[in-house]
Amino acid sequence: MPPIQDHPLRFKLANELHARPFPSLSAPCRAIYLAIKQPKDAASRDRSQDLVHLVALLDRYGAAHPQPGATHYSGQIGQHMLKWEQHTEFVTYTVFLSGLGEKPFDPSDFDVFPSDWLMDAPGVRVTSAMLRIASRVPDKDIDKHLSDWFVPESLAVSRVLDDDAVVAGDFRIDPSGHQRFAVFVRDSVGERRAGRIAQRLCEIETYKAMSMLGFTRVRDIGPRLAEMDGELMRLMELMANDDGQEEATLRALLQVSTELESLSARTSFRMGASGAYEAIVHQRIKVLREERYKGRQTFAEFMMRRYDPAMRTVKSAGVRLDSMVQRATRAADLLRTQVEVGRSAQNQQLLHSMNQRAELQLRLQETVEGLSVVAISYYAVSLAGYLMYPLAGAVGLSKGMMTALLVLPVVGLVWWMIRRIKHKVDAGGDQSGPDM
């Protein structure tokens, strides 16, 4: 094949599909499992701390370090095999121990993790579990073990993978603080198939616990959602009553809308993550290909009765929150339009009042102009009379007659001059208006 340039991410993306192989397990054996998550903002945490914590554990056993920036690791620690994985919000540690031990589900198995190392963990425990993987025994012996190890009322048992194994768990935290899972596999089951069963059980428990974080968040915000829903209904009733307090109602409505948007932004990631984790839980159960074991409830039935209602609560809360945000937005838009219409009506009334005042002012101005003509004409006639009185005697006219003859020409001249001055002033204003 002729040389061709590879995409920079080709090998990285191809290797990602094979980055987390299933463990190979030979029954009898047991496993301990630990998932750690930072309490807040786990998705944006400093992930280098996860590697530092892993390296601290490996150094206790003199084991080799992972590659810089690694997101998964498998290696020997002492006599045991460690599998470490880094996920979006959490990291997991799985240690596989050979044999079944002297005591079923012995909490001392967790001594693989030093206590001071656990105290220095960059986060808190999401879940921890102990798995007991034994060879398949007769059903009556399995029944005896199940009654000894688990709480009957919440026990889920299934035949899986075409009856190659029986898996059991009650999803309860035992006195030592761990979940318990039992796996009984046929001797003909391969090591990788046994490893897949154990891996699926750990993933079911982890993603169940992670998705339930959304349920706790919903319970926390539930009372406040109810309060805001009532406030939203009250404000919408005020809008319908049209009590003249539109602007105050709009401010209150915008405050509720802002709080709803903030609440939606704070919870959207957790609700979305819960939905994704829920899908993984059901997918992991589905690939086990469960069959009923002696009338006992299966893992799928356990989830349907105990787990699915919590997930439906999360989904309904998300739908309710989105609906409230949309209702608040629509109500605010309607009320804003109502306020704008009211302001437009007020502006029209104001313009009409201004027009009336302008007309009144114009009439007053015309009246003043008439009075000004009379006043100016009076003084002008007097001045003109003084000027023309010497001529009155020469032409044989009396002063009264001379004054009478001057009235009309003087008044006309004064009126003409005032009109001319007004015209010039108005023309000057029209010319300066566009330049301003």
Side-chain angles (χ1 to χ4, degrees):
M1 180 176 179
I4 184 173
Q5 185 177 0
D6 286 323
H7 189 280
L9 299 177
R10 180 192 175 203
F11 288 97
K12 182 177 181 180
L13 295 177
N15 293 333
E16 183 65 25
L17 300 178
H18 312 283
R20 295 178 171 88
F22 291 104
S24 297
L25 301 180
S26 297
C29 65
R30 59 198 191 279
I32 58 173
Y33 179 79
L34 176 66
I36 298 174
K37 173 189 176 296
Q38 287 194 0
K40 296 181 179 180
D41 301 326
S44 58
R45 69 188 185 280
D46 181 6
R47 303 194 180 191
S48 64
Q49 295 182 7
D50 300 336
L51 274 173
V52 171
H53 195 233
L54 170 64
V55 169
L57 178 63
L58 296 177
D59 288 342
R60 299 290 184 97
Y61 292 92
H65 290 185
Q67 295 292 327
T71 58
H72 56 90
Y73 172 85
S74 294
Q76 197 79 17
I77 55 170
Q79 299 178 353
H80 315 302
M81 178 62 66
L82 169 68
K83 187 174 187 291
W84 174 85
E85 293 183 352
Q86 184 183 66
H87 299 266
T88 302
E89 291 192 88
F90 58 92
V91 293
T92 62
Y93 292 82
T94 311
V95 179
F96 302 98
L97 304 86
S98 60
L100 295 179
E102 297 180 359
K103 178 182 177 182
F105 302 104
D106 189 350
S108 64
D109 289 344
F110 266 84
D111 292 342
V112 172
F113 300 127
S115 58
D116 58 337
W117 177 85
L118 290 172
M119 292 178 62
D120 293 335
V124 295
R125 173 171 55 178
V126 176
T127 187
S128 60
M130 294 183 290
L131 285 77
R132 183 180 177 87
I133 305 162
S135 298
R136 185 77 171 265
V137 294
D139 289 353
K140 63 177 182 179
D141 294 331
I142 293 178
D143 294 340
K144 183 178 184 304
H145 291 319
L146 298 182
S147 62
D148 291 339
W149 298 340
F150 301 103
V151 177
E153 64 185 26
S154 57
L155 176 62
V157 189
S158 297
R159 304 178 190 271
V160 298
L161 302 180
D162 304 321
D163 200 24
D164 276 348
V166 174
V167 297
D170 58 7
F171 296 97
R172 290 180 177 270
I173 299 175
D174 68 9
S176 61
H178 311 297
Q179 303 273 354
R180 292 182 177 184
F181 293 99
V183 182
F184 302 92
V185 297
R186 295 187 185 279
D187 295 336
S188 58
V189 173
E191 295 180 353
R192 289 195 176 277
R193 198 168 208 188
R196 285 197 295 271
I197 295 173
Q199 181 75 16
R200 296 308 186 202
L201 292 175
C202 292
E203 290 174 344
I204 290 170
E205 167 55 27
T206 303
Y207 289 114
K208 175 187 68 67
M210 290 297 298
S211 58
M212 289 297 290
L213 293 177
F215 179 68
T216 60
R217 180 66 63 86
V218 166
R219 288 199 303 184
D220 291 340
I221 68 173
R224 183 53 186 156
L225 272 182
E227 292 176 1
M228 287 191 290
D229 198 5
E231 178 68 10
L232 189 58
M233 290 296 297
R234 186 185 69 82
L235 293 174
M236 295 179 72
E237 290 176 358
L238 290 178
M239 289 173 55
N241 294 334
D242 191 18
D243 57 356
Q245 302 294 326
E246 288 84 2
E247 293 195 8
T249 304
L250 179 59
R251 286 193 296 270
L253 191 57
L254 291 177
Q255 183 177 358
V256 172
S257 180
T258 300
E259 186 174 355
L260 284 171
E261 289 286 359
S262 176
L263 191 60
S264 177
R266 295 197 308 268
T267 59
S268 60
F269 175 82
R270 179 48 55 205
M271 290 185 178
S274 291
Y277 294 143
E278 178 197 5
I280 295 175
V281 169
H282 289 298
Q283 191 272 340
R284 296 298 190 266
I285 293 176
K286 183 179 180 180
V287 297
L288 288 175
R289 302 199 301 274
E290 288 186 291
E291 297 176 9
R292 190 176 300 279
Y293 175 85
K294 301 178 69 172
R296 301 291 186 92
Q297 68 174 347
T298 63
F299 279 63
E301 288 176 338
F302 175 88
M303 295 300 173
M304 180 182 66
R305 294 176 55 194
R306 309 290 183 90
Y307 172 71
D308 289 351
M311 293 300 98
R312 285 195 293 270
T313 300
V314 175
K315 292 176 183 177
S316 64
V319 172
R320 181 186 183 188
L321 181 56
D322 291 340
S323 175
M324 290 176 62
V325 170
Q326 294 175 6
R327 285 165 52 202
T329 301
R330 289 195 301 268
D333 290 340
L334 290 173
L335 189 55
R336 190 181 293 109
T337 301
Q338 184 176 349
V339 171
E340 290 177 355
V341 169
R343 288 178 178 175
S344 297
Q346 292 178 356
N347 291 337
Q348 289 180 353
Q349 293 178 355
L350 180 61
L351 289 175
H352 181 68
S353 176
M354 291 176 64
N355 289 335
Q356 289 181 337
R357 287 198 298 269
E359 291 178 1
L360 181 61
Q361 185 176 4
L362 179 61
R363 292 175 184 175
L364 180 61
Q365 182 179 353
E366 291 175 350
T367 302
V368 172
E369 288 176 359
L371 295 176
S372 300
V373 169
V374 173
I376 294 174
S377 298
Y378 174 79
Y379 288 107
V381 167
S382 299
L383 292 175
Y386 286 121
L387 180 65
M388 300 299 294
Y389 284 163
L391 297 177
V395 297
L397 295 175
S398 65
K399 292 183 179 181
M401 182 59 68
M402 178 62 67
T403 301
L405 293 174
L406 290 175
V407 170
L408 291 179
V410 170
V411 170
L413 180 63
V414 171
W415 178 84
W416 177 80
M417 290 178 63
I418 290 177
R419 295 290 296 177
R420 183 175 177 83
I421 291 172
K422 179 181 178 183
H423 177 73
K424 288 184 177 180
V425 170
D426 293 339
D430 293 339
Q431 293 176 358
S432 61
D435 296 337
M436 293 176 65

